[in-house]
Amino acid sequence: MTGGSDSGGSSLYALCAVIGVLVFFLGPVLALLIDLNPLLAATIGYAGITLFTGGIAARYGFAIARGPWRQLGKNLLVALAVTILFYVIFLLIYTI
């Protein structure tokens, strides 16, 4: 066990990371296949990145909280903040 994650939370964090990978890879592909806006497809991909990085950060105890759900939530908020910064950069490039 590393950095404050408990054995009960490890599977929760891993599941979040796996769902993030699936959303990151399959979400934009499926969105484009059903003819959605490319910007929406990219947004789905960034949501997958948030889930993945939040799950991994929670697993290794980046932001520590008392319960596994709270720890996952804290780390998802940190991941969301970082992902939003990169999403804004993406939007600036996309609109040029």
Side-chain angles (χ1 to χ4, degrees):
M1 290 178 277
T2 308
S5 63
D6 58 350
S7 61
S10 293
S11 58
L12 174 66
Y13 310 145
L15 179 64
C16 182
V18 167
I19 290 171
V21 168
L22 292 175
V23 170
F24 175 68
F25 285 110
L26 297 179
V29 171
L30 294 175
L32 292 174
L33 285 176
I34 62 171
D35 219 14
L36 290 179
N37 185 336
L39 183 60
L40 181 59
T43 304
I44 293 169
Y46 275 96
I49 292 170
T50 300
L51 288 172
F52 174 74
T53 55
I56 295 299
R59 169 65 181 90
Y60 290 103
F62 180 75
I64 299 172
R66 287 199 168 157
W69 286 99
R70 284 187 180 188
Q71 182 161 328
L72 180 61
K74 268 182 135 175
N75 284 283
L76 282 172
L77 287 175
V78 172
L80 181 64
V82 173
T83 305
I84 285 174
L85 291 174
F86 286 102
Y87 186 70
V88 167
I89 293 169
F90 161 76
L91 287 176
L92 290 172
I93 294 170
Y94 183 78
T95 57
I96 291 178

